[in-house]
Amino acid sequence: MAASSNSSLSGSSLSSDPEDYQPPIWKSYLYQLQQEAPRPKRITCPQEMENRPKYYGREFHGMISRQYADELLAGAEGAYLIRESQRQPGTHTLALSFGHQTLNYRLFYDGKHFVGEKRFESVHDLVTDALITLYIETKAAEYIAKMTTNPIYEHLGYTSLLKDKMVHRLSRGRTEPRRVTFQRDEKVHTFRGPHWCEYCANFMWGLIAQGVRCSDCGLNVHKQCSKLVPSDCQPDLRRIKKVFSCDLTTLVKAHNTTRPMVVDMCIREIELRGMQSEGLYRVSGFSEHVEEVRLAFDRDGEKADISAVAYADINIIAGALKLYLRDLPIPIITFDLYSKFIQAAKIPNAESRLEGIHESLLQLPPAHFETLRYLMAHLKRVTQFEKDNFMNAENLGIVYGPTLMQPPEQNALTTLNDMRQQKLVVQLMIEHEDVLF
């Protein structure tokens, strides 16, 4: 990306018409400040310190006073040393000269050096990053406070992909649209080389952990800007490395489908040749073959071969479907709604109990709701072959309860105590699928 002057966006055309859109010019003011920041100057100890920790170098001066550290630094901008605290022996302090004063930071080491959230391979890198941050925040505090007021995000194309996409609640007596929203999977990221924020167009300063990156769509923004970015993430298929253990909403949005391909393909195969199989979903398929199916989906996606030629035993396909649902990082019935479903199942009155489950279903994310609806319709069809497969709604509830519902705290005692309610929730969703969905 080419840097430009600080006037940046003021002269660019940000038309609302996509055809008239001109790419933004990245703002270089903060980049220029980073280039101007003081460079670290290590003040070395003239003598070898016997008690020097092995992870420090000659910048360690042993147990010296603050006043003596000030004299050694001599006000040289960017000069630094490490001393052992006189008040708390065994602890260490980074003394850094900046702004004509000495700044003292408690210094820690756990395999990496740190004074705050960021962790560094060397003290030199830590000081470099600190000087950049101190310099920029001193010189451009007012600029930084205002840099989110004129975002370029709306003009970068991320929002246009989902601008008109809507889904409707599939519920009784309610037809209002619900906009698809998606919580970004943002993680603190270290960018190699200069990077600019795709929300405010400003430089992302620092040596490491300069901002956050969405692992689904690749959006790069400042940490403070990430709080302002809309939840309209459009995952990039190139970033989806696997099918199993991938977030459900991420997967369906990346593939532009309403349900995961695994669910569609496995159910289609089971309904084609397995509905009369005794103990369907209760009988386990050979684990090695189930793992083969998982690998096939991760490798080949919708081209995975799960036909009778490849896997004659339908229990392998049924096992793969259960494994997919069980391995979701966020279960079909999401962690935040788990307790609502459990409490609904405990309601004594049958009609009120169904109403409680129905209200909880309406709060599920769209991809979770649609996947669950499709699965329950399938399981209801499975019960229609009960004379052959011996699988009624209660039996399927026992199998699928722990698969679709997992307590957020992953407590074994909680899971044991909730098993009856888990089974009942799934049983009722199968029996009343036409009403609840």
Side-chain angles (χ1 to χ4, degrees), residues 28-39 131-133 135-141 143-144 203 205:
S28 64
Y29 176 51
L30 298 180
Y31 176 72
Q32 292 167 1
L33 288 182
Q34 174 162 310
Q35 298 300 100
E36 297 169 7
R39 298 294 186 262
L131 288 170
I132 291 170
T133 302
Y135 188 78
I136 288 178
E137 290 181 353
T138 300
K139 295 285 187 179
Y143 181 89
I144 291 171
F203 178 66
W205 67 89

Side-chain angles (χ1 to χ4, degrees), residues 146-161:
K146 295 179 179 179
M147 71 182 185
T148 61
T149 58
N150 185 28
I152 63 165
Y153 175 81
E154 295 289 338
H155 307 280
L156 281 178
Y158 291 95
T159 55
S160 62
L161 291 168

Side-chain angles (χ1 to χ4, degrees), residues 284-351:
S284 301
F286 196 45
S287 59
E288 282 81 358
H289 291 164
V290 172
E291 179 66 13
E292 285 178 12
V293 174
R294 182 187 72 80
L295 293 173
F297 274 114
D298 282 345
R299 183 183 62 247
D300 304 324
E302 59 187 13
K303 295 181 180 179
D305 183 7
I306 59 171
S307 65
V309 175
Y311 301 100
D313 182 4
I314 198 62
N315 293 312
I316 294 169
I317 309 305
L321 175 59
K322 289 189 296 179
L323 177 63
Y324 171 77
L325 296 170
R326 187 167 61 248
D327 280 359
L328 287 171
I330 301 176
I332 291 289
I333 292 177
T334 56
F335 291 128
D336 58 328
L337 292 174
Y338 176 85
S339 60
K340 292 187 177 182
F341 278 91
I342 293 296
Q343 292 306 313
K346 293 179 179 179
I347 298 174
N349 180 270
E351 186 174 345

Side-chain angles (χ1 to χ4, degrees), residues 99-168:
H100 308 295
Q101 61 179 321
T102 299
L103 306 175
N104 292 280
Y105 300 95
R106 177 79 176 274
L107 187 60
F108 300 91
Y109 181 81
D110 64 355
K112 291 189 177 182
H113 304 274
F114 64 99
V115 296
E117 291 182 357
K118 293 185 178 182
R119 282 166 163 73
F120 299 83
E121 296 292 342
S122 69
V123 173
H124 184 85
D125 286 349
L126 186 155
V127 174
T128 302
D129 187 82
L131 288 170
I132 291 170
T133 302
L134 287 168
Y135 188 78
I136 288 178
E137 290 181 353
T138 300
K139 295 285 187 179
E142 186 176 349
Y143 181 89
I144 291 171
K146 295 179 179 179
M147 71 182 185
T148 61
T149 58
N150 185 28
I152 63 165
Y153 175 81
E154 295 289 338
H155 307 280
L156 281 178
Y158 291 95
T159 55
S160 62
L161 291 168
L162 292 178
K163 189 173 181 180
D164 299 317
K165 278 194 173 184
M166 306 286 271
V167 293
H168 295 270

